[in-house]
Amino acid sequence: QKEVEQNSGPLSVPEGAIASLNCTYSDRVSQSFFWYRQYSGKSPELIMSIYSNGDKEDGRFTAQLNKASQYVSLLIRDSQPSDSATYLCAVNNSGYSTLTFGKGTMLLVSP
Amino acid sequence: EAGVAQSPRYKIIEKRQSVAFWCNPISGHATLYWYQQILGQGPKLLIQFQNNGVVDDSQLPKDRFSAERLKGVDSTLKIQPAKLEDSAVYLCASSGRGRGPSYEKLFFGSGTQLSVL
C-alpha cells in the first residue's frame, strides 16, 4: 500500500510568519506531487504542483521536492488568517496517474 | 466553465438502507474519480474511470458499493446496504484529457455528506 504521511497538526503560526508543511511518501517511482488546500466543510482545491527536484514558487507559496529523500514540502510566506485550512499532500501512483492523499495538516494562522 | 456537479449535498439514512450519489464532471474531462473522506482524514480513492472504463477500483468495497459511468460522462455511486462506518463525505473529481501533468490535476465537486444512523 503506497503511503503519504503528514503531521496532522495543528500547526500554529502568527500572521506574517512562514508556515512550513511537510510530507513524505513511500513509492520511490512517484513522479507528480500536489498540494491541495481544504477549508473546513469545503472540497480540496489545488494550489501547487511540482514534478522536478528543487523549488517551485507561486506567489507566497513555494513547493520543495527531494525525490532522493522522498519528501515534499510547502512553504507559505507572510501567512494570513485566510490561509487557515487543512493542507493535503497528494502523490501520483506510478502507472495509473491515481492520486494518493495524505491525512492533511491543519494550519492555524493567528492575527 | 461549469465545475464538477454533485448531488445531493447532504443525505441522512439508517443503516442497512441504500443510497445513491450523482456526479457530472467538467465538460470534456475523460477521467472521473470517486473519493471517500472520513472526518479528519484525507480523501481515499474508491474508483477511477477513464471514459466509461474502470482504471482502479482496488479500494472499493464491492460487496456493498457499486459505481457506473455508462456513457462516459456522468456517474453514480451506490451503497447498498449502508453501514455506520460509511458516514463520510463522498467527493467526485474529474481531470482532463491525455497524459502529462495537466491530466493529473483534479477538480473536485462540492461533495455529498452522508450520515448513516
Side-chain angles (χ1 to χ4, degrees), chain A residues 16-59:
Chain A
I18 296 175
S20 178
L21 306 163
N22 300 312
C23 169
T24 59
Y25 58 94
S26 64
D27 186 0
R28 281 195 168 276
V29 298
S30 296
Q31 296 295 320
S32 306
F33 308 86
F34 304 87
W35 285 98
Y36 284 79
R37 178 176 61 200
Q38 186 172 29
Y39 291 113
S40 180
K42 301 295 185 182
S43 296
E45 56 176 332
L46 180 67
I47 56 172
M48 288 288 288
S49 58
I50 188 166
Y51 308 99
S52 304
N53 279 328
D55 295 359
K56 178 182 177 182
E57 186 174 318
D58 184 2

Side-chain angles (χ1 to χ4, degrees), chain B residues 5-81:
Chain B
Q6 286 190 252
S7 66
R9 186 71 179 90
Y10 303 94
K11 191 72 176 178
I12 300 174
I13 61 173
E14 295 186 351
K15 60 183 179 183
R16 292 188 290 274
Q17 287 187 324
S18 63
V19 64
F21 313 125
W22 174 83
C23 173
N24 194 32
I26 292 173
S27 178
H29 278 193
T31 308
L32 184 148
Y33 312 77
W34 284 102
Y35 281 87
Q36 179 194 59
Q37 187 172 25
I38 293 172
L39 187 64
Q41 297 185 20
K44 182 184 87 170
L45 180 70
L46 294 176
I47 190 167
Q48 177 182 345
F49 291 97
Q50 173 76 16
N51 295 309
N52 60 352
V54 175
V55 173
D56 185 353
D57 64 356
S58 58
Q59 298 191 89
L60 185 74
K62 297 180 183 66
D63 58 334
R64 298 184 301 107
F65 286 65
S66 64
E68 61 182 12
R69 191 184 185 200
L70 292 177
K71 296 182 179 179
V73 181
D74 59 345
S75 174
T76 56
L77 175 69
K78 298 179 181 178
I79 308 174
Q80 181 178 9

